[in-house]
Structure formats: structure tokens, C-alpha cells
């Protein structure tokens, strides 16, 4: 089950998963599991660094045939197994921020608020993604990308469901 909404605070995606909150949390925080479901369909994912703590970061790359891109999550707040707040940036292979390789007008940073709640053995995953420290022009480009983001996150969440089922 998926619910979606978008507003001035970004895009909010909700998915009910048939697994415990701890299982879903581990899928986000264990690099060996993360690489199996996070990348968009047809991409391979490789984690270079994963330091899950406030002030830590995860640097990873996504690869497909003749295309590669890198990203970094900077962890702001972690409340196991309920919440992870982090920013994301596209990077080069050295974890240094770069513009989105597919759209130079995209915001440099996005803020992610991941919430996990459990009821009767099922976990509700709620992810809010918003433009962070962005200009008005970048926010407009970000809002134009909601459909693409729904598809990308939706594909990843489909893979997450397969992994934890």
C-alpha cells in the first residue's frame, strides 16, 4: 500500500510493509542490505563508507552500463528504530558535492525525514523529501521532479519489500 502527497514541504511517500520496524530499520542501516534495494531499477549499488551516527555519512555509487553517479547521505538525527533524518547530495567519487549529473538546476541538497512505525507486525514507512538550502528556482525544478522521484523511490521500495519479505 502506498500513499503520496506533495506540498510546499516537499514530497511525502508512505508504504506499509509486511515486516517489523526493526527489520525495516536494519534494511536502511546495514550496508549489505542497503545495496540490495536502494538503487533505482537496473542500477548496481556500491557503498564506500557507512558511518551511521549523528554527523556521520554514507557515501555510495550507483552504476549502470556506461553511466555512474555518486551520492552522500549526511546523518543529522538517528533514533533507532524510529527515525533517520539526513541530507543527500550528489558527489564525485571522492564524496565531494557536485551538481546533479542529470539536471544542473536541481537543488544541491535534499532533506530526508524517514519515520518508521509498527502496528500488528506491519511497518509504516513515511519518507518526506524536500529541497534543502535551495533557491526558489531550484525549488521549482525540484517540484517538477516529483513524478520522477515517485517512480525512483517507488522502485526502491518495491525492492525493499522483496528483500524483507
Amino acid at each position: 500500500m502506498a500513499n503520496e502527497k506533495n506540498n510546499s514541504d516537499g514530497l511525502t511517500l508512505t508504504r506499509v510493509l509486511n515486516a517489523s520496524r526493526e527489520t525495516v530499520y536494519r534494511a536502511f542501516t546495514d550496508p549489505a542490505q542497503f545495496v540490495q534495494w536502494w538503487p533505482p531499477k537496473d542500477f548496481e549499488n556500491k557503498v564506500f563508507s557507512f558511518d551511521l551516527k549523528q554527523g556521520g555519512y554514507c557515501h555510495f555509487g550507483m552504476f549502470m552500463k556506461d553511466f555512474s553517479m555518486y551520492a552522500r547521505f549526511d546523518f543529522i538525527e538517528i533514533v533507532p528504530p524510529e527515525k533517520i533524518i539526513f541530507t543527500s547530495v550528489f558527489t564525485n567519487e571522492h564524496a565531494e558535492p557536485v551538481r546533479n549529473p542529470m539536471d544542473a538546476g536541481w537543488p544541491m541538497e535534499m532533506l530526508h525525514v524517514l519515520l518508521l512505525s509498527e502496528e500488528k507486525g506491519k511497518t509504516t514507512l513515511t519518507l518526506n523529501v524536500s529541497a534543502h538550502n535551495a533557491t526558489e528556482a531550484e525549488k521549482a525544478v525540484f517540484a517538477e521532479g516529483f513524478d520522477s522521484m515517485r517512480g525512483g523511490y517507488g522502485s526502491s521500495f518495491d525492492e525493499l519489500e522483496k528483500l524483507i519479505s
Side-chain angles (χ1 to χ4, degrees), residues 31 33-40 42-48 58-64 69 71:
Q33 292 184 58
F34 176 78
V35 297
Q36 294 180 56
W37 68 270
W38 181 261
D42 300 325
F43 276 82
E44 185 179 324
N45 200 5
K46 181 175 181 184
V47 173
F48 302 107
C58 169
H59 178 230
F60 60 98
M62 295 174 280
F63 308 95
M64 182 176 70
M69 64 181 163

Side-chain angles (χ1 to χ4, degrees), residues 87 107-111 130-136 138-139:
T87 57
M108 285 293 290
E109 288 182 284
M110 295 187 303
L111 178 66
S130 59
H132 188 62
N133 295 325
T135 66
E136 290 305 314
E138 290 170 334
K139 289 177 185 177

